Amino acid sequence: MTITTYQVEGMTCGHCVSSVTAEVGKVAGVSGVKVDLATKAVTVTSAEPVDESLIGAAVAEAGYELAPKVELLQQAGGSCCGGGGCH
């Protein structure tokens, strides 16, 4: 089982949650969808990983968009400061 969480921009109400849930639920391979309005997140459950572009297209069909992913880079040494300790 694969569980992936995405951030969604533009959701403001219960209707938004319903729309995103319905559209993402139609994506092939998706077995579960949970949308949290407070955190603006959609959590997708599937047997195998689902292509992010398919989730993005479903969210767009509902009238919203996936927020850009933010990746945190960790340098050698095990901390964000390269092992020299944070300031």
Coordinates of all heavy atoms in Angstrom, one line a residue:
M1 N 0.8 -1.2 0.0 CA 0.0 0.0 0.0 C 0.9 1.2 0.0 O 1.9 1.3 0.7 CB -0.9 0.0 1.2 CG -1.8 1.2 1.3 SD -2.9 1.4 2.7 CE -3.3 -0.2 3.2
T2 N 0.5 2.2 -0.8 CA 1.2 3.5 -0.8 C 0.3 4.6 -0.3 O -0.9 4.7 -0.8 CB 1.6 3.8 -2.3 OG1 2.5 2.8 -2.8 CG2 2.3 5.1 -2.4
I3 N 0.8 5.5 0.5 CA 0.1 6.6 1.0 C 0.9 7.9 0.7 O 2.0 8.0 1.2 CB -0.2 6.5 2.5 CG1 -1.1 5.2 2.8 CG2 -0.9 7.8 3.1 CD1 -1.2 4.9 4.3
T4 N 0.3 8.8 0.0 CA 1.0 10.0 -0.4 C 0.2 11.2 -0.1 O -1.0 11.2 -0.4 CB 1.3 10.0 -1.9 OG1 2.0 8.8 -2.3 CG2 2.2 11.1 -2.3
T5 N 0.8 12.2 0.5 CA 0.1 13.5 0.8 C 0.6 14.6 -0.1 O 1.8 14.8 -0.2 CB 0.2 13.8 2.3 OG1 -0.3 12.7 3.1 CG2 -0.5 15.1 2.7
Y6 N -0.4 15.4 -0.6 CA -0.1 16.5 -1.4 C -0.7 17.8 -0.8 O -1.8 17.7 -0.2 CB -0.7 16.3 -2.8 CG -0.3 15.1 -3.5 CD1 -1.0 13.9 -3.4 CD2 0.9 15.1 -4.3 CE1 -0.6 12.7 -4.1 CE2 1.3 13.9 -5.0 CZ 0.5 12.7 -4.8 OH 0.9 11.6 -5.5
Q7 N -0.2 18.9 -1.0 CA -0.8 20.2 -0.6 C -1.6 20.7 -1.8 O -1.1 20.6 -2.9 CB 0.3 21.2 -0.2 CG 1.1 20.8 1.0 CD 0.2 20.6 2.3 OE1 0.2 19.6 2.9 NE2 -0.6 21.6 2.6
V8 N -2.7 21.3 -1.5 CA -3.6 21.8 -2.5 C -3.9 23.3 -2.2 O -4.2 23.7 -1.1 CB -5.0 21.0 -2.5 CG1 -5.9 21.6 -3.6 CG2 -4.8 19.6 -2.8
E9 N -3.7 24.1 -3.3 CA -3.9 25.5 -3.2 C -5.4 25.9 -3.6 O -5.9 25.3 -4.6 CB -2.9 26.3 -4.0 CG -1.5 26.1 -3.6 CD -0.5 26.8 -4.4 OE1 -0.8 27.2 -5.6 OE2 0.6 27.1 -3.9
G10 N -6.0 26.8 -2.8 CA -7.3 27.3 -3.3 C -8.5 26.8 -2.6 O -9.6 27.3 -2.7
M11 N -8.4 25.7 -1.7 CA -9.5 25.2 -1.1 C -9.9 26.1 0.1 O -9.1 26.5 0.9 CB -9.2 23.8 -0.5 CG -9.0 22.8 -1.6 SD -9.0 21.1 -0.9 CE -7.7 21.1 0.3
T12 N -11.2 26.4 0.2 CA -11.7 27.3 1.3 C -12.9 26.8 2.0 O -13.3 27.4 3.0 CB -12.0 28.7 0.7 OG1 -13.0 28.5 -0.3 CG2 -10.8 29.3 0.1
C13 N -13.6 25.7 1.5 CA -14.8 25.3 2.2 C -15.1 23.8 2.0 O -14.3 23.1 1.3 CB -16.0 26.1 1.6 SG -16.3 25.8 -0.2
G14 N -16.2 23.4 2.6 CA -16.6 22.0 2.4 C -16.8 21.5 1.0 O -16.6 20.4 0.7
H15 N -17.4 22.4 0.2 CA -17.6 22.1 -1.2 C -16.3 21.8 -1.9 O -16.2 20.9 -2.7 CB -18.3 23.2 -1.9 CG -18.5 23.0 -3.4 ND1 -19.4 22.1 -3.9 CD2 -17.9 23.5 -4.5 CE1 -19.4 22.0 -5.2 NE2 -18.4 22.9 -5.6
C16 N -15.2 22.6 -1.6 CA -13.9 22.3 -2.1 C -13.4 20.9 -1.8 O -12.9 20.2 -2.7 CB -12.9 23.3 -1.6 SG -13.3 25.1 -1.8
V17 N -13.6 20.5 -0.5 CA -13.2 19.2 -0.1 C -14.0 18.1 -0.8 O -13.4 17.2 -1.3 CB -13.5 19.1 1.5 CG1 -13.3 17.6 1.9 CG2 -12.5 20.0 2.2
S18 N -15.2 18.3 -1.0 CA -16.1 17.3 -1.8 C -15.6 17.2 -3.2 O -15.5 16.1 -3.7 CB -17.5 17.7 -1.7 OG -18.0 17.7 -0.4
S19 N -15.3 18.3 -3.8 CA -14.9 18.3 -5.2 C -13.6 17.6 -5.4 O -13.4 16.8 -6.3 CB -14.8 19.8 -5.8 OG -16.1 20.4 -5.8
V20 N -12.6 18.0 -4.6 CA -11.3 17.3 -4.7 C -11.4 15.8 -4.4 O -10.8 15.0 -5.1 CB -10.3 18.0 -3.8 CG1 -9.0 17.3 -3.7 CG2 -10.0 19.5 -4.2
T21 N -12.1 15.5 -3.4 CA -12.3 14.1 -3.0 C -12.9 13.3 -4.2 O -12.4 12.2 -4.5 CB -13.2 13.9 -1.8 OG1 -12.6 14.6 -0.7 CG2 -13.4 12.5 -1.4
A22 N -13.9 13.8 -4.8 CA -14.6 13.1 -5.9 C -13.7 13.0 -7.1 O -13.6 11.9 -7.7 CB -15.9 13.9 -6.3
E23 N -13.0 14.0 -7.5 CA -12.1 13.9 -8.7 C -10.9 13.0 -8.5 O -10.6 12.2 -9.3 CB -11.7 15.3 -9.1 CG -12.8 16.2 -9.7 CD -13.5 15.6 -10.9 OE1 -12.9 14.9 -11.7 OE2 -14.7 15.9 -11.0
V24 N -10.3 13.2 -7.3 CA -9.1 12.3 -7.1 C -9.5 10.9 -6.9 O -8.8 10.0 -7.4 CB -8.3 12.8 -5.8 CG1 -7.2 11.9 -5.5 CG2 -7.7 14.2 -6.1
G25 N -10.7 10.7 -6.4 CA -11.2 9.3 -6.2 C -11.4 8.6 -7.6 O -11.5 7.4 -7.6
K26 N -11.6 9.3 -8.6 CA -11.8 8.8 -10.0 C -10.5 8.3 -10.6 O -10.5 7.6 -11.7 CB -12.4 9.8 -10.9 CG -13.8 10.2 -10.5 CD -14.3 11.3 -11.5 CE -15.7 11.8 -11.1 NZ -16.1 12.9 -12.0
V27 N -9.3 8.7 -10.1 CA -8.0 8.3 -10.7 C -7.8 6.8 -10.6 O -8.0 6.3 -9.5 CB -6.9 9.1 -10.0 CG1 -5.5 8.7 -10.6 CG2 -7.1 10.6 -10.3
A28 N -7.4 6.2 -11.7 CA -7.2 4.8 -11.7 C -6.1 4.4 -10.7 O -5.1 5.1 -10.6 CB -6.7 4.3 -13.1
G29 N -6.4 3.4 -9.9 CA -5.5 2.9 -8.9 C -5.6 3.5 -7.5 O -5.1 3.0 -6.5
V30 N -6.4 4.6 -7.4 CA -6.6 5.2 -6.1 C -7.7 4.5 -5.4 O -8.8 4.2 -5.9 CB -7.0 6.7 -6.3 CG1 -7.5 7.3 -4.9 CG2 -5.9 7.5 -6.8
S31 N -7.4 4.0 -4.1 CA -8.3 3.3 -3.3 C -8.9 4.1 -2.2 O -9.9 3.7 -1.6 CB -7.7 2.0 -2.8 OG -6.5 2.3 -2.0
G32 N -8.3 5.2 -1.9 CA -8.8 6.0 -0.8 C -8.3 7.5 -0.9 O -7.2 7.7 -1.4
V33 N -9.2 8.4 -0.5 CA -8.8 9.8 -0.6 C -9.3 10.5 0.7 O -10.5 10.3 1.1 CB -9.5 10.6 -1.8 CG1 -9.2 12.0 -1.8 CG2 -9.2 9.9 -3.1
K34 N -8.4 11.2 1.4 CA -8.8 12.0 2.6 C -8.3 13.4 2.3 O -7.1 13.7 2.1 CB -8.2 11.4 3.8 CG -8.6 12.2 5.1 CD -7.9 11.6 6.3 CE -8.3 12.5 7.5 NZ -7.3 12.6 8.5
V35 N -9.3 14.4 2.4 CA -8.9 15.8 2.2 C -9.1 16.5 3.5 O -10.2 16.4 4.1 CB -9.8 16.4 1.1 CG1 -9.4 17.9 0.9 CG2 -9.6 15.7 -0.2
D36 N -8.1 17.2 3.9 CA -8.1 18.0 5.2 C -8.1 19.5 4.8 O -7.1 20.0 4.4 CB -6.9 17.6 6.1 CG -7.0 18.3 7.4 OD1 -7.5 19.4 7.6 OD2 -6.5 17.6 8.4
L37 N -9.3 20.2 5.1 CA -9.4 21.6 4.7 C -8.4 22.4 5.6 O -7.8 23.4 5.1 CB -10.8 22.0 4.9 CG -11.1 23.5 4.6 CD1 -10.8 23.8 3.1 CD2 -12.6 23.8 4.8
A38 N -8.3 22.1 6.9 CA -7.5 22.9 7.8 C -6.0 23.0 7.3 O -5.4 24.0 7.4 CB -7.6 22.4 9.2
T39 N -5.5 21.8 6.8 CA -4.1 21.8 6.4 C -3.9 21.9 4.9 O -2.8 21.9 4.4 CB -3.4 20.5 6.9 OG1 -4.1 19.4 6.3 CG2 -3.4 20.4 8.4
K40 N -5.0 22.0 4.2 CA -5.0 22.1 2.7 C -4.3 20.9 2.1 O -3.6 21.0 1.1 CB -4.4 23.4 2.3 CG -4.9 24.6 2.9 CD -6.2 25.1 2.2 CE -6.5 26.5 2.7 NZ -7.7 26.6 3.5
A41 N -4.5 19.7 2.7 CA -3.8 18.5 2.2 C -4.8 17.4 1.7 O -5.9 17.3 2.2 CB -3.0 17.9 3.4
V42 N -4.3 16.7 0.7 CA -5.1 15.5 0.2 C -4.2 14.3 0.4 O -3.0 14.4 -0.1 CB -5.6 15.7 -1.2 CG1 -4.5 16.0 -2.2 CG2 -6.4 14.5 -1.7
T43 N -4.6 13.3 1.0 CA -3.9 12.1 1.2 C -4.5 11.0 0.4 O -5.7 10.8 0.5 CB -3.9 11.7 2.7 OG1 -3.3 12.8 3.5 CG2 -3.1 10.4 2.9
V44 N -3.7 10.4 -0.5 CA -4.1 9.4 -1.4 C -3.5 8.1 -1.1 O -2.4 7.9 -0.8 CB -3.6 9.8 -2.9 CG1 -4.0 8.8 -3.9 CG2 -4.2 11.2 -3.2
T45 N -4.4 7.1 -1.0 CA -4.0 5.7 -0.7 C -4.2 4.9 -2.0 O -5.2 5.0 -2.7 CB -4.9 5.1 0.4 OG1 -4.8 5.9 1.5 CG2 -4.5 3.7 0.8
S46 N -3.2 4.1 -2.3 CA -3.3 3.2 -3.5 C -2.4 2.0 -3.3 O -1.5 2.0 -2.4 CB -2.7 4.0 -4.7 OG -1.4 4.5 -4.5
A47 N -2.7 0.9 -4.1 CA -1.9 -0.3 -4.0 C -0.5 -0.1 -4.5 O 0.5 -0.6 -3.9 CB -2.6 -1.4 -4.8
E48 N -0.4 0.7 -5.5 CA 0.9 1.1 -6.1 C 1.0 2.6 -6.2 O 0.0 3.3 -6.3 CB 1.0 0.5 -7.6 CG 0.9 -1.0 -7.6 CD 2.1 -1.8 -7.0 OE1 3.2 -1.2 -7.2 OE2 1.9 -2.8 -6.5
P49 N 2.2 3.1 -6.3 CA 2.3 4.6 -6.5 C 1.6 5.1 -7.7 O 1.6 4.4 -8.8 CB 3.9 4.8 -6.7 CG 4.5 3.6 -6.0 CD 3.5 2.5 -6.3
V50 N 0.9 6.2 -7.6 CA 0.1 6.8 -8.7 C 0.9 8.0 -9.1 O 1.4 8.8 -8.3 CB -1.3 7.3 -8.2 CG1 -2.0 8.0 -9.3 CG2 -2.1 6.1 -7.7
D51 N 1.0 8.2 -10.5 CA 1.7 9.3 -11.0 C 1.2 10.6 -10.5 O 0.0 10.9 -10.6 CB 1.6 9.2 -12.6 CG 2.5 10.2 -13.3 OD1 2.7 11.4 -12.8 OD2 3.0 9.9 -14.4
E52 N 2.1 11.5 -10.0 CA 1.6 12.8 -9.5 C 0.9 13.6 -10.5 O 0.0 14.4 -10.1 CB 2.9 13.5 -8.9 CG 2.5 14.8 -8.3 CD 3.7 15.6 -7.7 OE1 4.7 14.9 -7.4 OE2 3.6 16.8 -7.5
S53 N 1.3 13.5 -11.8 CA 0.6 14.3 -12.8 C -0.9 13.9 -12.9 O -1.7 14.8 -13.2 CB 1.3 14.2 -14.1 OG 1.1 12.9 -14.6
L54 N -1.2 12.7 -12.6 CA -2.6 12.3 -12.6 C -3.4 12.9 -11.5 O -4.6 13.3 -11.6 CB -2.8 10.7 -12.6 CG -2.2 10.0 -13.8 CD1 -2.2 8.5 -13.6 CD2 -2.9 10.4 -15.1
I55 N -2.8 12.9 -10.3 CA -3.4 13.5 -9.1 C -3.5 15.0 -9.4 O -4.6 15.6 -9.1 CB -2.5 13.3 -7.9 CG1 -2.4 11.8 -7.6 CG2 -3.2 14.0 -6.7 CD1 -3.6 11.0 -7.4
G56 N -2.5 15.7 -10.0 CA -2.6 17.1 -10.3 C -3.7 17.4 -11.3 O -4.4 18.4 -11.1
A57 N -3.8 16.5 -12.3 CA -4.9 16.8 -13.3 C -6.3 16.6 -12.6 O -7.2 17.4 -12.9 CB -4.8 15.8 -14.4
A58 N -6.4 15.7 -11.7 CA -7.7 15.5 -11.0 C -8.0 16.7 -10.1 O -9.2 17.2 -10.1 CB -7.7 14.2 -10.2
V59 N -7.0 17.2 -9.4 CA -7.2 18.4 -8.6 C -7.5 19.6 -9.4 O -8.4 20.4 -9.1 CB -5.9 18.6 -7.7 CG1 -6.0 20.0 -7.0 CG2 -5.7 17.5 -6.7
A60 N -6.9 19.7 -10.6 CA -7.2 20.8 -11.5 C -8.6 20.7 -12.0 O -9.3 21.7 -12.2 CB -6.2 20.8 -12.7
E61 N -9.1 19.5 -12.3 CA -10.4 19.3 -12.8 C -11.4 19.8 -11.7 O -12.5 20.3 -12.1 CB -10.7 17.8 -13.1 CG -12.0 17.5 -13.6 CD -12.3 18.1 -15.0 OE1 -11.3 18.3 -15.8 OE2 -13.5 18.3 -15.3
A62 N -11.1 19.6 -10.5 CA -11.9 20.1 -9.4 C -11.9 21.6 -9.2 O -12.7 22.2 -8.5 CB -11.5 19.4 -8.1
G63 N -10.9 22.3 -9.9 CA -10.8 23.7 -9.8 C -9.7 24.2 -8.9 O -9.7 25.4 -8.6
Y64 N -8.8 23.4 -8.6 CA -7.7 23.8 -7.7 C -6.4 23.3 -8.2 O -6.3 22.8 -9.3 CB -7.9 23.2 -6.3 CG -9.3 23.5 -5.8 CD1 -10.3 22.5 -6.0 CD2 -9.7 24.7 -5.3 CE1 -11.7 22.8 -5.6 CE2 -11.0 25.0 -5.0 CZ -12.0 24.0 -5.1 OH -13.3 24.3 -4.8
E65 N -5.3 23.5 -7.5 CA -4.0 23.1 -8.0 C -3.1 22.6 -6.9 O -3.2 23.0 -5.7 CB -3.3 24.1 -8.8 CG -2.9 25.4 -8.0 CD -2.2 26.4 -8.9 OE1 -1.0 26.3 -9.1 OE2 -2.9 27.3 -9.4
L66 N -2.2 21.6 -7.3 CA -1.3 21.1 -6.3 C -0.2 22.2 -6.0 O 0.2 22.9 -6.9 CB -0.6 19.9 -6.8 CG -1.4 18.6 -6.9 CD1 -0.5 17.4 -7.4 CD2 -2.1 18.2 -5.7
A67 N 0.1 22.4 -4.8 CA 1.2 23.3 -4.4 C 2.5 22.7 -4.8 O 2.7 21.5 -4.8 CB 1.2 23.6 -2.9
P68 N 3.5 23.5 -5.2 CA 4.8 23.0 -5.5 C 5.4 22.3 -4.3 O 5.2 22.7 -3.2 CB 5.6 24.2 -5.9 CG 4.6 25.3 -6.1 CD 3.4 25.0 -5.3
K69 N 6.1 21.2 -4.6 CA 6.7 20.4 -3.5 C 7.9 21.2 -3.0 O 8.6 21.8 -3.8 CB 7.1 19.0 -4.0 CG 6.0 18.0 -4.1 CD 6.6 16.7 -4.3 CE 5.5 15.6 -4.2 NZ 6.0 14.3 -4.3
V70 N 8.1 21.1 -1.7 CA 9.3 21.7 -1.1 C 10.1 20.6 -0.6 O 9.7 19.7 0.2 CB 8.9 22.6 0.1 CG1 10.1 23.2 0.8 CG2 8.0 23.7 -0.4
E71 N 11.3 20.5 -1.1 CA 12.3 19.5 -0.7 C 13.3 20.1 0.2 O 13.9 21.1 -0.2 CB 12.9 18.8 -1.9 CG 11.8 18.0 -2.8 CD 12.5 17.2 -3.9 OE1 13.6 16.8 -3.7 OE2 11.8 17.0 -4.9
L72 N 13.6 19.4 1.3 CA 14.6 19.9 2.2 C 15.9 19.1 1.8 O 15.9 17.9 1.8 CB 14.2 19.6 3.6 CG 12.9 20.3 4.1 CD1 12.6 19.9 5.5 CD2 13.1 21.8 4.0
L73 N 17.0 19.8 1.6 CA 18.2 19.2 1.3 C 19.0 19.0 2.6 O 19.1 20.0 3.4 CB 19.0 20.0 0.3 CG 18.3 20.3 -1.0 CD1 19.2 21.2 -1.9 CD2 18.0 18.9 -1.7
Q74 N 19.6 17.9 2.7 CA 20.5 17.6 3.9 C 21.9 17.4 3.4 O 22.2 16.5 2.6 CB 20.0 16.4 4.7 CG 20.6 16.2 6.0 CD 19.9 15.2 6.9 OE1 18.8 14.8 6.5 NE2 20.5 14.8 7.9
Q75 N 22.8 18.2 3.9 CA 24.2 18.1 3.5 C 24.9 17.0 4.3 O 24.4 16.6 5.4 CB 24.9 19.5 3.8 CG 24.3 20.6 2.9 CD 25.0 21.9 3.3 OE1 25.9 22.0 4.1 NE2 24.6 22.9 2.5
A76 N 26.1 16.7 3.8 CA 26.9 15.7 4.5 C 27.1 16.1 6.0 O 27.3 17.3 6.2 CB 28.2 15.5 3.8
G77 N 27.1 15.2 6.9 CA 27.3 15.6 8.3 C 26.1 15.5 9.1 O 26.1 15.6 10.3
G78 N 24.9 15.3 8.4 CA 23.7 15.0 9.2 C 22.9 16.2 9.6 O 22.0 16.0 10.3
S79 N 23.3 17.4 9.3 CA 22.4 18.5 9.6 C 22.4 19.5 8.5 O 23.1 19.4 7.5 CB 23.0 19.2 10.9 OG 24.0 20.1 10.5
C80 N 21.5 20.5 8.6 CA 21.3 21.5 7.5 C 22.5 22.4 7.5 O 22.7 23.1 6.5 CB 20.1 22.3 7.7 SG 20.1 23.2 9.3
C81 N 23.4 22.3 8.5 CA 24.5 23.2 8.6 C 25.8 22.5 8.2 O 26.9 22.9 8.5 CB 24.7 23.8 10.0 SG 23.2 24.7 10.4
G82 N 25.7 21.3 7.6 CA 26.9 20.6 7.1 C 27.7 20.0 8.3 O 28.9 19.7 8.1
G83 N 27.1 19.7 9.4 CA 27.8 19.1 10.5 C 28.5 20.1 11.4 O 29.0 19.7 12.4
G84 N 28.5 21.4 11.1 CA 29.2 22.3 11.9 C 28.3 22.9 13.0 O 28.7 23.8 13.7
G85 N 27.1 22.4 13.2 CA 26.2 22.9 14.2 C 25.5 24.1 13.7 O 26.0 24.9 12.9
C86 N 24.2 24.3 14.1 CA 23.4 25.4 13.7 C 23.7 26.6 14.5 O 24.2 26.5 15.6 CB 21.9 25.0 13.8 SG 21.5 23.8 12.6
H87 N 23.5 27.7 13.9 CA 23.8 29.0 14.5 C 22.6 29.6 15.2 O 21.6 29.6 14.8 CB 24.4 30.0 13.5 CG 25.5 29.4 12.7 ND1 26.7 29.2 13.2 CD2 25.5 28.9 11.4 CE1 27.5 28.7 12.3 NE2 26.8 28.4 11.2

